[in-house]
């Protein structure tokens, strides 16, 4: 009888040990599960590319990434619990990096050019371009038909002038338009201020260059094109997109954004770091 009792006790002990071991193995499998280890609320490390376009996107004199849109995106990173690193690179490299997956996101205009690889953020801020004039608002073209007979400076490679007038180069070839092409923004502004032509095509950000070169310059500006600047996020990074969109909802509800979805002036003043006027290229 005592042998039977001992046998039962041994079996009970074995079963209890087996249950404890099974529980431990189950717990270990949960802890090592990717869905548990990759805590959706943990900080995300995000690599973001941009290009130099002061005062919107640039590196400051100290080398820190800043700009009006730059600081707004940095605030989105903070609100979304993201550790964002920013690289300011040439435009062609920025596009190559985001398409190849070398970077997670790219801040640039949305004209559908990255739909194959990326998804735009819900956050978007308008970028406006048009004509600067030294001869008054009345001389600024309102339609492409107003261009013949004018003298105009554009930046070589800039696409936005052709959103206004696709036949601009053809007009120049046919001598109906005096079209001067500058190698970069700084050169175009210097040409404009030197009265090489009474009209300059550029974004409203060109005013930053004008003020740096000649704070007393007198001119008019009329925007005729508006495009949204967004954060393009690689399709392979859905959590990054989710964080940015949630962060946009958060800071929108906090009412710290202007009508153009940039940080309000007082907040911007505390964060913004100015750029140095680039050298001639």
């Amino acid at each position: 009888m005592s042998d039977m009792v001992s046998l039962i006790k041994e079996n009970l002990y074995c079963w209890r040990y087996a249950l404890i071991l099974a529980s431990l193995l189950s717990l270990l499998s949960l802890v090592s599960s990717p869905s548990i280890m990759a805590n959706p609320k943990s900080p995300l490390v995000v690599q973001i590319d941009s290009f130099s376009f002061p005062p919107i996107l640039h590196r400051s004199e100290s080398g820190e990434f800043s700009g009006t849109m730059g600081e707004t995106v940095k605030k989105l990173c903070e609100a979304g619990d993201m550790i964002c690193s920013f690289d300011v690179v040439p435009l062609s490299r920025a596009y190559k990096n985001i398409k190849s997956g070398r970077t997670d996101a790219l801040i640039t205009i949305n004209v559908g050019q990255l739909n194959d690889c990326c998804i735009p953020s819900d956050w978007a801020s308008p970028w406006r371009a048009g004509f600067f004039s030294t001869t008054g608002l009345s001389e600024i073209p309102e339609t492409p038909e107003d261009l013949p007979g004018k003298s105009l400076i554009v930046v070589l490679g800039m696409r936005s002038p052709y959103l206004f007038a696709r036949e601009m180069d053809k007009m120049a070839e046919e001598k109906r338009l005096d079209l001067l092409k500058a190698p970069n923004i700084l050169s175009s502004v210097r040409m404009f201020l030197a009265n090489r032509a009474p009209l300059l095509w550029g974004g409203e950000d060109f005013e930053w260059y004008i003020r740096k070169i000649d704070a007393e310059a007198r001119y008019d500006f009329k925007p005729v094109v508006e495009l949204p600047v967004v954060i393009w996020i690689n399709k392979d990074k859905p959590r990054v997109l989710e964080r940015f969109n949630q962060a946009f909802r958060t800071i929108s509800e906090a009412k710290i954004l202007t009508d153009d979805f940039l940080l309000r002036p007082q907040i911007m003043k505390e964060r913004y770091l100015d750029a140095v006027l680039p050298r001639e290229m």
Side-chain angles (χ1 to χ4, degrees), residues 74-92:
K74 285 164 69 175
K75 185 64 177 178
L76 287 168
C77 290
E78 294 167 12
D81 198 15
M82 291 176 281
I83 302 170
C84 296
S85 298
F86 296 88
D87 274 347
V88 177
V89 299
L91 184 59
S92 58

Side-chain angles (χ1 to χ4, degrees), residues 82-249:
M82 291 176 281
I83 302 170
C84 296
S85 298
F86 296 88
D87 274 347
V88 177
V89 299
L91 184 59
S92 58
R93 190 191 307 170
Y95 275 82
K96 184 178 180 181
N97 286 349
I98 190 68
K99 288 181 177 181
S100 66
R102 291 179 183 174
T103 191
D104 302 319
L106 171 63
I107 310 168
T108 191
I109 288 169
N110 180 7
V111 288
Q113 76 277 31
L114 291 171
N115 284 337
D116 58 333
C117 69
C118 308
I119 301 173
S121 60
D122 289 345
W123 173 83
S125 182
W127 177 78
R128 302 176 183 91
F131 294 98
F132 291 85
S133 170
T134 56
T135 55
L137 283 169
S138 61
E139 293 299 312
I140 294 179
E142 295 185 357
T143 68
E145 289 71 30
D146 297 329
L147 279 176
K150 303 288 187 182
S151 183
L152 169 67
I153 302 165
V154 299
V155 177
L156 184 65
M158 199 171 186
R159 298 179 182 179
S160 56
Y162 300 94
L163 296 176
F164 176 77
R166 288 190 298 176
E167 303 295 319
M168 191 175 289
D169 285 340
K170 184 178 180 181
M171 290 182 191
E173 290 172 5
E174 295 173 350
K175 307 298 183 184
R176 293 186 292 129
L177 171 68
D178 182 20
L179 187 63
L180 289 75
K181 294 186 177 182
N184 51 59
I185 296 174
L186 181 57
S187 295
S188 73
V189 171
R190 289 195 187 281
M191 290 168 65
F192 177 67
L193 294 176
N195 295 313
R196 293 281 301 278
L199 292 173
L200 166 67
W201 177 276
E204 53 195 343
D205 45 283
F206 279 38
E207 294 190 74
W208 179 86
Y209 287 83
I210 293 174
R211 290 195 301 270
K212 291 287 186 184
I213 297 170
D214 184 357
E216 303 300 320
R218 298 177 65 85
Y219 61 90
D220 293 290
F221 173 66
K222 184 175 182 179
V224 294
V225 170
E226 182 176 304
L227 297 168
V229 174
V230 301
I231 309 165
W232 283 99
I233 295 141
N234 195 290
K235 288 180 179 179
D236 293 333
K237 302 290 182 176
R239 289 182 63 207
V240 174
L241 177 64
E242 181 184 349
R243 291 282 183 100
F244 269 118
N245 289 344
Q246 179 58 55
F248 176 48
R249 290 190 291 271

Side-chain angles (χ1 to χ4, degrees), residues 48-68:
I48 303 174
D49 273 4
S50 174
F51 45 92
S52 186
F53 211 62
I56 294 174
L57 303 161
H58 60 253
R59 288 208 178 278
S60 68
E61 186 173 3
S62 64
E64 186 174 344
F65 181 71
S66 191
T68 53

